[in-house]
Amino acid sequence: MKSKSISKLLAYVYMPVIFSVLGYGILRIALAPVVDMAEAVGSMVIASEIPDFNPDLVAAFDPEAAQRLAEENQRRAAEAAKAEEEFDPNVISVDDVDFPANGTYFARLTCERIGLDAPLYWGDTNKILKNGAGQFMGSFLPGFGRPILISAHNTTYFKPLQYTEVGDIITCQTNYGIYEYEVTEVTVEHVRDFAGNRNEMLSAEEETLILYTCYPFYAIAGTKNERLIVYGTRISGPDVK
């Protein structure tokens, strides 16, 4: 009888503890996605920089590479002058250009007046656009005298484009040269019209920087069927021959 009483007492003590532990474990597993998301959002809020969601993307951009190449061109120009040979320091050989592979961080876009500062990747997949601006691979690299088509999300890297004005200077720094583009037009188009005009834009025989992002910027819900488009004409930077 005494043994049964002790067993019953132990059951009253241990069973609630066991069920509590089991319940906590089940609840922790069920809520794990929510907890992880909350922690991620919290870290984004307090972080001083936009986090790197895809660290496996390739980085080939070297901020000092263009300066080194410019100095090398100046040296070549001085040697050519001594030898009385022709040399144009504003022209670089295509051999000096490392053509990026898909997903490569190869340049940087900046505009001091509006606070634009975005890493530029070759390609425009969703994965790339989480990390920076992406260049459409059917367009051309800076310096080749043809259109350059670049996009990014309007909530992150291209959010500053809402403040763009005609006359602003946008800089694209690559490993082989620093290029400046003066904004000539800022417009809003329906996504269907923009997509329909893309082939015509890319067939132009002049170097135009084309930046675009979803519009409007502060729409909370619904599909954004318009695009803000910024056009810029190249005003400086070496030609690639």
Side-chain angles (χ1 to χ4, degrees):
M1 188 73 177
K2 186 176 181 181
S3 177
K4 288 184 179 180
S5 299
I6 293 174
S7 297
K8 188 179 292 186
L9 178 62
L10 290 176
Y12 281 122
V13 173
Y14 289 114
M15 290 305 292
V17 175
I18 293 172
F19 280 115
S20 297
V21 172
L22 289 174
Y24 174 79
I26 294 171
L27 189 62
R28 179 67 181 89
I29 293 172
L31 295 179
V34 177
V35 172
D36 291 343
M37 182 179 293
E39 290 177 350
V41 172
S43 64
M44 289 175 64
V45 171
I46 65 175
S48 59
E49 298 180 354
I50 295 176
D52 183 5
F53 292 95
N54 293 288
D56 55 319
L57 291 175
V58 178
F61 176 61
D62 178 0
E64 298 178 357
Q67 181 60 35
R68 290 196 298 269
L69 184 57
E71 292 172 354
E72 176 62 17
N73 278 343
Q74 291 177 355
R75 184 188 65 77
R76 294 175 185 173
E79 291 179 352
K82 289 181 180 180
E84 297 183 351
E85 297 175 352
E86 290 186 4
F87 183 86
D88 187 351
N90 295 316
V91 176
I92 63 173
S93 170
V94 69
D95 295 332
D96 291 322
V97 179
D98 292 327
F99 291 88
N102 185 27
T104 300
Y105 166 33
F106 73 97
R108 194 161 199 93
L109 282 175
T110 58
C111 179
E112 184 177 357
R113 194 193 72 80
I114 64 174
L116 173 66
D117 188 358
L120 179 57
Y121 290 82
W122 185 246
D124 53 4
T125 64
N126 289 332
K127 180 178 180 180
I128 288 172
L129 296 183
K130 286 182 180 179
N131 286 266
Q135 179 167 344
F136 175 58
M137 292 191 295
S139 61
F140 296 79
L141 291 172
F144 283 79
R146 300 292 298 278
I148 304 162
L149 183 60
I150 299 172
S151 63
H153 291 310
N154 70 348
T155 55
T156 55
Y157 293 96
F158 271 7
K159 186 176 181 179
L161 288 191
Q162 62 188 301
Y163 307 114
T164 309
E165 297 177 357
V166 172
D168 282 341
I169 304 299
I170 298 174
T171 301
C172 182
Q173 184 178 357
T174 71
N175 286 349
Y176 57 88
I178 299 174
Y179 295 84
E180 291 185 327
Y181 301 85
E182 182 176 355
V183 175
T184 56
E185 183 180 4
V186 181
T187 185
V188 175
E189 296 181 16
H190 194 279
V191 62
R192 288 196 302 269
D193 296 332
F194 179 65
N197 295 331
R198 188 173 67 177
N199 290 338
E200 182 179 352
M201 286 190 297
L202 295 178
S203 64
E205 296 291 336
E206 60 182 349
E207 187 163 326
T208 303
L209 180 68
I210 307 168
L211 310 180
Y212 72 97
T213 191
C214 292
Y215 185 87
F217 285 85
Y218 296 103
I220 298 176
T223 302
K224 297 180 180 180
N225 292 320
E226 295 180 307
R227 298 292 180 265
L228 177 79
I229 310 163
V230 175
Y231 298 90
T233 299
R234 192 179 109 191
I235 58 175
S236 69
D239 293 321
V240 178
K241 300 292 185 181

